[in-house]
Amino acid sequence: MLTVNQTKNTLLDGASIEEEPYITLQESEDFFESLDKPAKEPRQLAPRNTFIRAGVLTTVRGSAYMEYGNTKVLAIVAPPKELIRASARRMNMGVLNCYVNFAAFGTGDLDSVPERERHLSSMLTKALEPVVCRTEFLNFQLDIRVLILDDDGCLLSTAINCCGVALVECGISTYDLITASTACIYRDHVFLNPSAKIEELLWKHRSNSGTDSTTSPSSAQEHGLIITASMDTFEQIAQCQQCGYLSPDTYVKLLDYTLDMNKSLRELVKGVLTKRVKEQHELDLREKAETALEDQRLEEIIEKLKKQGLEEFIQSNIREDPYVKRQ
């Protein structure tokens, strides 16, 4: 039976659901049998239902919010700031710092949160460093902060996608758009964009695989997860993280799946950013029109002043109070 307490997933990218979700291996088997298992060779390499919004916060220059299924992430990017003198040193490129925090309602086991946050921050920094043009802000640092509102698997890949949109919204120079996806294999079944339950099942299988003397190293026992962040314009991989046991052929297969999903996500991100640019352009045109009307009104007032003089202009603009009786 599944319990409600959440705990750290030490194998994967921070996803967590339960503390000791399976009391015995038999319960683990029963849970796997109850799953809606996908085909062994997926035909539709589509991402989850995705919602992305750029510029969700007006108090910061760059922000983005993303829902990837039930996983919800908010990213904030501040403009580069000069390094503190005590830590400043001559470098040929700027410093990128990523900070990941869980909302108080986003996780159950608060004791493991600091370690999970440090791990995700480190992985996120490694993924975004190849994307940002750090040579353009020497002796400056760029801070990216991510708030995890809900975690249902694919947490690191969702954070990478959200940060990529926030970087463009902030106006930070990047070499390309970055997108990331997750895929895993368990019992010859390939799970694309696995949920937190599937990721926890992989972790439980790994922790028990060493104690099971009946298992043999065969393709049927392959179990693992791969997270790939890529820049498709130059066909470059910004980060590739693999956990578990995968044969070379399976590794290449999962890598191809994630790269194909990254291309689909890239089109979605491009559409979101294009829509954001159009909205900003319309807003600029509206503000420009309002400014032109205000300038025209001021010009009319100045013309009246020139023709009537100051005293006459003041008298002509005085209105009597209809509720005050004349003496």
Side-chain angles (χ1 to χ4, degrees):
M1 297 295 293
L2 299 180
T3 61
V4 296
N5 294 330
Q6 297 177 341
T7 186
K8 175 194 171 186
N9 185 328
T10 56
L11 168 65
L12 307 174
D13 60 348
S16 63
I17 47 169
E18 310 89 22
E19 182 177 3
E20 294 298 334
Y22 318 110
I23 300 176
T24 65
L25 288 177
Q26 184 59 42
E27 290 188 1
S28 173
E29 297 293 330
D30 294 341
F31 174 73
F32 177 72
E33 293 301 328
S34 68
L35 288 174
D36 245 350
K37 290 178 277 296
K40 295 187 178 181
E41 296 292 335
R43 296 180 180 179
Q44 294 183 349
L45 303 177
R48 291 181 183 178
N49 293 332
T50 308
F51 172 80
I52 307 176
R53 179 67 179 174
V56 292
L57 299 179
T58 58
T59 54
V60 293
R61 185 173 177 180
S63 62
Y65 171 74
M66 181 173 180
E67 293 183 4
Y68 197 57
N70 292 326
T71 301
K72 302 176 180 64
V73 173
L74 175 67
I76 299 173
V77 180
K81 60 182 180 181
E82 190 174 0
L83 288 170
I84 303 174
R85 289 185 179 181
S87 63
R89 57 187 184 275
R90 198 66 186 172
M91 292 177 290
N92 57 357
M93 57 179 59
V95 177
L96 179 65
N97 295 322
C98 295
Y99 306 94
V100 177
N101 297 103
F102 283 85
F105 50 83
T107 183
D109 185 10
L110 297 180
D111 295 335
S112 65
V113 165
E115 186 180 349
R116 295 173 61 192
E117 290 176 345
R118 286 193 296 270
H119 171 71
L120 285 170
S121 299
S122 175
M123 293 298 100
L124 188 60
T125 301
K126 291 178 181 178
L128 295 179
E129 279 182 344
V131 183
V132 179
C133 300
R134 293 186 292 150
T135 55
E136 295 192 1
F137 48 94
L138 306 180
N139 292 322
F140 280 76
Q141 68 178 22
L142 178 66
D143 293 337
I144 302 176
R145 299 188 180 275
V146 174
L147 178 64
I148 308 300
L149 302 175
D150 201 354
D151 175 13
D152 187 31
C154 303
L155 184 57
L156 179 59
S157 55
T158 304
I160 293 172
N161 292 323
C162 191
C163 288
V165 176
L167 283 170
V168 177
E169 171 69 16
C170 188
I172 302 298
S173 298
T174 57
Y175 295 107
D176 195 4
L177 294 177
I178 184 171
T179 51
S181 299
T182 306
C184 70
I185 187 170
Y186 184 77
R187 300 288 180 83
D188 284 344
H189 291 279
V190 175
F191 295 88
L192 304 179
N193 307 305
S195 65
K197 293 180 180 179
I198 303 298
E199 293 181 353
E200 196 74 17
L201 184 63
L202 285 171
W203 170 73
K204 191 67 178 179
H205 179 88
R206 187 191 188 194
S207 63
N208 289 308
S209 61
T211 59
D212 190 358
S213 60
T214 63
T215 58
S216 60
S218 62
S219 60
Q221 299 301 321
E222 285 184 331
H223 60 281
L225 176 142
I226 183 172
I227 306 165
T228 308
S230 62
M231 300 179 286
D232 293 328
T233 301
F234 304 104
E235 297 184 352
Q236 293 181 346
I237 295 178
Q239 185 190 39
C240 186
Q241 182 182 2
Q242 179 255 328
C243 303
Y245 164 67
L246 298 174
S247 67
D249 291 339
T250 303
Y251 184 90
V252 172
K253 180 174 66 174
L254 294 183
L255 181 63
D256 291 338
Y257 289 156
T258 54
L259 291 177
D260 287 339
M261 287 190 294
N262 286 352
K263 292 179 181 178
S264 301
L265 282 170
R266 179 185 174 86
E267 295 303 318
L268 177 62
V269 169
K270 285 173 63 177
V272 169
L273 294 175
T274 301
K275 182 180 178 182
R276 175 61 177 167
V277 170
K278 291 180 179 179
E279 290 178 354
Q280 190 62 44
H281 179 63
E282 293 174 358
L283 180 62
D284 292 342
L285 289 178
R286 195 180 306 120
E287 292 180 351
K288 188 175 180 180
E290 292 175 356
T291 302
L293 288 175
E294 185 68 18
D295 292 342
Q296 183 180 357
R297 191 180 69 85
L298 290 175
E299 288 178 1
E300 292 174 357
I301 293 176
I302 292 172
E303 288 296 327
K304 286 183 180 180
L305 278 170
K306 290 180 179 178
K307 292 179 180 179
Q308 299 178 355
L310 180 59
E311 295 294 334
E312 187 177 349
F313 176 77
I314 293 175
Q315 291 299 325
S316 64
N317 283 278
I318 294 177
R319 300 289 185 269
E320 293 184 359
D321 190 347
Y323 297 100
V324 177
K325 265 187 166 184
R326 290 189 179 182
Q327 295 293 339

